[in-house]
Every structure is written in structure tokens, then in C-alpha cells.
Amino acid sequence: MSKQDLMEEDTSWDLWIRTRDPEAGDILVQRYTPLVTYHVQRISSGLPRNVSRDDIMSLGLHGLFDALTKFDPSRDLKFDTYASFRIRGTIIDGLRKEDWLPRSSREKSKKLEDEITKLEQKLLRHATPEEIASHMGMSVDDVYQTVHEHYFSNVLSIDEKVNDDDDEGLKSFVIKDQETKTPEQRTLMTELVGDLITKINELNKNEQLVLNLFYTEEMTLTEIGEILSLSTSRISQIHSKALFKLRKLLASEIVDGGIL
């Protein structure tokens, strides 16, 4: 950002904070819209195809405006950080309220999980996506997508809310059991981390790299695609396949096992 742009942004912030000047507000919205786009891309990677990207963007922009309205520059907190919590929180709350995954999809997801369990009990090992697809009479891509949606719906089911009275005005994640972890839970968590490391090391190089760039470096699927010279859809497929391979640990242990 040039010196002139910085001066314009500082002036806009001053006008917005003091007088809620509409023009200054528009300038700030334009300045931080790329931040909204970033979070929309990351969250959308786990959503089914029927969810409109425009609807997610609209929720994100609403979160940005909420952040602009409530931000207190006197606090020792960068606006980018504050806005990120508000943007993500608004999108996730909106998705939950709209019940983005239809009942039919939830039933399909539950049936798939049940059938995978039955198939693996019969095989006495983890079933491959191809074996599951053949067993269910569906395509391999549908298997990946359904498992991905099931995992993301579990993430959204965590009880979250925005606590406006929080000292930092940030997103508060409220999970029912706030008590200190028991020795058994700590032991289970240690074992889980070890299992995850082992399982991740069993993924191929592309799958490991995509997971690392997406979850550790917090890059979007589009950015990862540019690095690997692959299309966004191809990166999304690699991401889904990697999560599928880790599904037992990620979905069952973390979400259903009470480790959180």
C-alpha cells in the first residue's frame, strides 16, 4: 500500500470513527473486502455445491460492516484480527441458521457413515473410496463430497455465539463442557495427536502439502492451486481425499469423542 493510500485510509478511519461518514465507510469497506473474500474462499471449501458463494459473500460483508461499527481503535488490537473474527462468526452463524445442509443430505451422510462402518467390519480394515463407492452404488467423487459435508456439518454443530460483552469484542466459542480435562482426556488427546501425525505421514506428498498450506499457512484453495500449478477444483479434490483418509480420527475422535 502506497503512502497516499495509507493517508487516505487513516483519514477515512478518523471520519468514520468521529462522524460515521458514509463515504469514509465505503472506502473502508472497499479496503477490507479482500479480507472477506479470503474467509469466504476458506469456508466455502467445505460447503456443498448447492450453497451460493454470493450468499456467503453477503454474510461476510455483513460481518465486516458489523466489525467497522463496533471496532474500538483505542484498544490494542489490529482491525484485521478483529474483523476476521466477526466475518467468520457471521458466516458460520448464518450457515447454521439457514440449515445449509438439507435433511436429505444429512440422511445420505448418516447412511454413508453407517454403511462404511458395516463394510469395514466385514473387510476388517479401512475401506477404500472405490470400495465404498461400489458398495453404495455411487461415484467416488460423491463419496468424497458426502464425507466432506458430514465433517463440516459436525464442525458447524459446535455451539458458538458472539459475546458482545467480551472485553475484546471477539468471537467467543462456547463449548458445553468447560471443565478442566481429566487425566484420561489428556491421555486420549496425546494419543490422538500421535495417531494424526502417523496418519498424515501416510498421505502422499500433494495431500500433505495441501493440508499444511490450508490449515497451517491458512492459504485459500485458489492460492494453493497457483503454487502447485493445479486448478482450484483439483486442489479441492486433493483436500477432500486427504480428509477422507483422516475421517476416522478427525470426525469420530475429535467431534464425537468429546476431546474438544
Side-chain angles (χ1 to χ4, degrees):
M1 185 181 296
S2 68
K3 184 176 181 180
Q4 183 177 351
D5 289 337
L6 287 172
M7 291 177 63
E8 181 181 23
E9 182 177 344
D10 289 342
T11 300
S12 297
W13 269 117
D14 183 59
L15 284 172
W16 175 251
I17 295 298
R18 287 191 298 104
T19 67
R20 288 295 189 258
D21 180 77
E23 186 175 347
D26 288 342
I27 291 173
L28 292 174
V29 167
Q30 293 176 20
R31 162 70 177 84
Y32 290 101
T33 293
L35 182 64
V36 177
T37 302
Y38 167 79
H39 289 293
V40 167
Q41 290 179 348
R42 286 185 60 81
I43 292 175
S44 294
S45 68
L47 296 176
R49 301 180 184 92
N50 65 292
V51 180
S52 169
R53 178 69 67 90
D54 290 340
D55 290 343
I56 306 302
M57 190 68 187
S58 179
L59 287 169
L61 288 172
H62 180 75
L64 173 60
F65 185 75
D66 183 54
L68 286 170
T69 302
K70 297 178 179 179
F71 182 63
D72 183 354
S74 67
R75 295 184 177 182
D76 187 21
L77 184 68
K78 293 178 61 178
F79 179 74
D80 298 63
T81 303
Y82 178 81
S84 289
F85 278 100
R86 287 289 175 186
I87 292 166
R88 286 182 57 83
T90 302
I91 292 174
I92 290 174
D93 286 343
L95 288 170
R96 188 184 303 109
K97 289 175 183 176
E98 291 299 322
D99 194 18
W100 60 272
L101 191 61
R103 174 177 290 185
S104 59
S105 295
R106 294 183 188 277
E107 292 174 351
K108 179 181 178 182
S109 176
K110 180 64 169 59
K111 180 180 179 181
L112 179 64
E113 286 296 308
D114 291 342
E115 290 299 320
I116 288 175
T117 299
K118 292 178 183 178
L119 180 60
E120 292 183 338
Q121 287 175 346
K122 179 181 179 180
L123 297 173
L124 299 178
R125 60 173 172 77
H126 288 315
T128 67
E130 291 75 17
E131 289 171 333
I132 295 169
S134 176
H135 176 74
M136 295 291 294
M138 58 196 300
S139 70
V140 175
D141 284 343
D142 280 344
V143 171
Y144 288 133
Q145 184 67 25
T146 303
V147 171
H148 199 171
E149 290 174 9
H150 176 71
Y151 170 68
F152 199 81
S153 68
N154 283 333
V155 173
L156 286 184
S157 70
I158 297 174
D159 183 18
E160 300 170 326
K161 68 178 182 178
V162 176
N163 182 356
D164 293 327
D165 298 325
D166 187 78
D167 288 339
E168 297 298 333
L170 297 179
K171 179 80 176 174
S172 295
F173 296 89
V174 182
I175 300 174
K176 293 181 180 179
D177 183 9
Q178 295 288 348
E179 298 179 1
T180 304
K181 297 290 185 296
T182 65
E184 291 80 8
Q185 287 175 318
R186 288 195 294 269
T187 300
L188 187 59
M189 175 60 81
T190 300
E191 292 176 353
L192 172 62
V193 171
D195 288 342
L196 277 174
I197 292 173
T198 300
K199 291 297 181 182
I200 289 173
N201 286 336
E202 293 176 2
L203 301 177
N204 64 45
K205 291 182 179 179
N206 269 357
E207 291 167 344
Q208 291 185 44
L209 182 56
V210 168
L211 290 184
N212 179 62
L213 293 177
F214 188 81
Y215 293 103
T216 303
E217 302 300 327
E218 298 190 341
M219 298 178 68
T220 66
L221 298 183
T222 300
E223 291 170 334
I224 297 172
E226 292 174 354
I227 290 176
L228 299 182
S229 298
L230 296 171
S231 67
T232 301
S233 60
R234 176 57 181 151
I235 295 299
S236 178
Q237 185 181 49
I238 294 173
H239 177 251
S240 295
K241 286 183 178 180
L243 288 185
F244 179 89
K245 292 178 180 179
L246 298 173
R247 76 188 188 285
K248 289 298 183 183
L249 292 171
L250 290 174
S252 178
E253 297 290 348
I254 295 178
V255 179
D256 299 326
I259 293 176
L260 287 174

